[in-house]
Amino acid sequence: MIDLRGITKRYQMGEETVIALAGIDLFIGKNEYVALIGPSGSGKSTLMNLIGCLDSATEGQYILNDRDTSSLTEDELAAVRNKEIGFVFQSFHLLPRQSALQNVMQPLMYRRMPDAERRRLAKESLANVGLSDRLGHLPNQLSGGQRQRVAVARALVGHPSILLADEPTGNLDSRTSSEIMALFDALHSNGQTVVVVTHEPDIAAHCQRTIRVFDGCVTEDFKKLSRVT
Amino acid sequence: MNIFKEAFRAALTSLNAHRMRSLLTTLGILIGTAAVIAVVSLLQGLSDSIASQFSDLGGNTLSLKAVNDQDNFRRRRLNTLSISDVDILQYQVTGIERVAPSLMVNNSIVSYKGRSISPQVFGTNTEYQLVQNRYPSVGRFITESDDKGSRRVAVIGEKVRDELKLPNNPVDEYLLVGNEWFKIVGMMEKQGEILGFSQDNYVIIPFSVGRSMMGVFERPYMEVSFTVGNLLEINAVRERALRAIRNSRHLQPGKEDDFKIEAADSFVKQFNKITGIATAVLAGIVSISLLVGGIGIMNIMLVSVTERTREIGILKALGATRRDILLQFLLEAALLSLFGGLIGIVIGLLAGLGIASLIPEFPPAHVPFWVIALAAGFSALVGVIFGIAPASKAASLDPIEALRYE
Ligand SMILES: Nc1ncnc2c1ncn2[C@@H]1O[C@H](COP(=O)(O)OP(=O)(O)OP(=O)(O)O)[C@@H](O)[C@H]1O
Ligand SMILES: [Mg+2]
């Protein structure tokens, strides 16, 4: 699945070089449920963006589903983002002028799928997150929790092999947070690979495996044998 | 063309979100197309009406005129045609069918029962009606025996009858032309007006009478119209006539012609030349206004790309390729420009119709469909061209930087 080998990411800020990731080796297998934790500025988001093929490493090799991503063209990377990755962001990142349904239909457009088929799959995906009654609503007509559920529906509509969520509950209260996490739990038990970045220990507690990042390095990586309920 | 439809819809949504801004942006294009359509519709209406007024002029008619350059005017030594030029056409050039000289009688006052006007008075022969394809509607034309006998008879245009308040059938009334009495024998078919000038304000008298009315020292202004028997030979006949007249006017080889022989429909050609120039000037103005409009569109699209940086980042995160983004923004620019063009076309059409109806006697405005299609196509094209820079800026945004954009 996800295979990171010696990944570094450096930002050149004028004279100064910021090392966001300092040589990360990491393997995440199919149907794992992983929490990435660590203090602010430790490089969690940078790592997530790399895994999601939104960003590329300065050094190192990233093999996703047996393909070396560094050899892929820009269009091939777009196709990987479209087919392999479902991304959920802290600030939802919904398209502001499009309804919930249209937002969820959007990724399928890049697969050149017929309209009716896209609509059907998008409705199905929204039903899975319990939003069948909000199809025509614009993002600003939805609550934070509902927006994040639309985002999850959009991330999952194309049946990606990996669901990445960067602090998905960061903008939500604890009740809606646990709704979202319940959704992730259910996805995981249906075989979905899930990686979540979080600050909160009780979010991390949902996951089977916890990876701690500090100053761009993995400092801790442990698996629970079974989930505590 | 699913992707196209989606891009179209996205473009519409975003234009709709900024209606006022879109309208203002597209004003340059709007005004440009409105101006073209208005002017083209007026010119086209005008040239349609002129072409139809001249269409019954025979294509096999040529006319011979003297040519004067500025030097001649300054020295007051004007070239004129002479009777011998008429004779040469009549008797020496083969292929000519009929010859009708028109001799202008200068400064002639025409009076009837105390009213006086000064129409064009010219002398010609009986061939005139066949050569010019104009016939009397009442009475008869000048005959050969009128000419031979130098009879004081006249054929008038309708305008002359109206102005002099002659009876409806003016035949057998007497007119005073200069200081001689003429009997009216006929009245010509009405020609109507061209650009507000009546084409019926004339008195025709026999050629021989016209000659006798000219003073001995006056140099008469004369034109000769003639028809060619076989239309296919028209150029050959024209060449022969040119050579014969050069000979008779004793022009040395190498010296320029001091006369010209041209097709009778040259007024139409002249007019087409003028409309051609007008169109070229217009095209210049329009291209400037489209350029300005295009820059406006480019500007607003660049603003829009910046405003929507995050949105573009989202689309890229969802798997949009460069081409997808490029297409969406190009289409948006094209639509923006096209809307301006379409509104401009409507305004231009209305303006053309309005102006044409405000000017008395002006022919109705008319726009050929291809001009409308061209205007619409062109405005969309301007959008595409000026949309390229903003669209490629959008397409080449880095996904993660775009997402992080505040
Ligand atoms: N575009 C950039 N240019 C320069 N430095 C960057 C850039 N993006 C990230 N960094 C730096 O990389 C480091 C890691 O950032 P990252 O966003 O991955 O942290 P994080 O672990 O997600 O923090 P948080 O928990 O606050 O979201 C930070 O020190 C940050 O300043
Ligand atoms: Mg972060």
Side-chain angles (χ1 to χ4, degrees), chain A residues 81-82 93 109 113 118, chain B residues 2 6 310 316 318 400:
Chain A
R81 290 196 287 269
N82 187 245
H93 282 340
M109 189 177 105
M113 202 180 262
R118 290 199 296 135
Chain B
N2 193 15
E6 279 303 320
R310 205 120 79 97
K316 289 212 154 183
L318 295 179
I400 196 67

Side-chain angles (χ1 to χ4, degrees), chain B residues 252-273:
Chain B
Q252 301 299 323
K255 202 159 181 288
E256 262 183 60
D257 292 345
D258 59 357
F259 62 93
K260 62 183 176 184
I261 297 178
E262 53 187 15
D265 58 351
S266 67
F267 180 69
V268 180
K269 283 188 194 141
Q270 205 72 28
F271 178 80
N272 284 342
K273 213 161 112 188

Side-chain angles (χ1 to χ4, degrees), chain B residues 80-271:
Chain B
T80 51
L81 298 178
S82 64
I83 297 301
S84 65
D85 294 325
V86 181
D87 291 342
I88 282 174
L89 290 181
Q90 201 136 34
Y91 304 115
Q92 290 186 12
V93 182
T94 52
I96 291 182
E97 196 181 33
R98 300 171 197 286
V99 178
S102 308
L103 181 70
M104 304 304 152
V105 178
N106 303 330
N107 314 322
S108 25
I109 308 287
V110 175
S111 320
Y112 173 77
K113 292 195 175 158
R115 290 176 192 278
S116 296
I117 55 170
S118 47
Q120 200 180 50
V121 178
F122 62 95
T124 187
N125 62 16
T126 190
E127 303 283 25
Y128 178 88
Q129 42 183 346
L130 293 161
V131 171
Q132 297 290 352
N133 208 14
R134 295 183 188 175
Y135 302 92
S137 58
V138 181
R140 63 173 178 83
F141 198 71
I142 310 282
T143 60
E144 230 179 299
S145 70
D146 289 336
D147 201 10
K148 286 229 172 73
S150 293
R151 287 197 200 118
R152 275 20 182 191
V153 291
V155 179
I156 62 171
E158 269 199 39
K159 177 95 171 173
V160 172
R161 180 195 65 184
D162 296 344
E163 300 248 306
L164 291 179
K165 299 239 163 27
L166 281 154
N168 262 355
N169 181 353
V171 171
D172 293 341
E173 298 292 324
Y174 283 86
L175 285 179
L176 192 60
V177 179
N179 44 20
E180 296 193 52
W181 288 100
F182 283 74
K183 182 180 172 185
I184 298 176
V185 294
M187 182 169 70
M188 298 300 279
E189 293 167 336
K190 191 178 169 79
Q191 297 289 317
E193 294 186 350
I194 292 178
L195 299 177
F197 290 99
S198 169
Q199 303 297 302
D200 302 298
N201 192 18
Y202 56 84
V203 173
I204 303 175
I205 59 177
F207 187 65
S208 56
V209 178
R211 279 177 70 184
S212 70
M213 286 175 77
M214 304 294 296
V216 183
F217 300 106
E218 263 180 277
R219 287 178 155 270
Y221 180 74
M222 186 160 69
E223 275 180 33
V224 188
S225 301
F226 57 97
T227 56
V228 176
N230 181 353
L231 189 58
L232 297 176
E233 275 183 35
I234 191 157
N235 285 324
V237 173
R238 185 170 173 275
E239 282 304 313
R240 284 203 286 276
L242 276 174
R243 255 181 283 123
I245 304 264
R246 275 188 75 90
N247 270 334
S248 90
R249 295 174 79 86
H250 306 295
L251 293 177
Q252 301 299 323
K255 202 159 181 288
E256 262 183 60
D257 292 345
D258 59 357
F259 62 93
K260 62 183 176 184
I261 297 178
E262 53 187 15
D265 58 351
S266 67
F267 180 69
V268 180
K269 283 188 194 141
Q270 205 72 28
F271 178 80

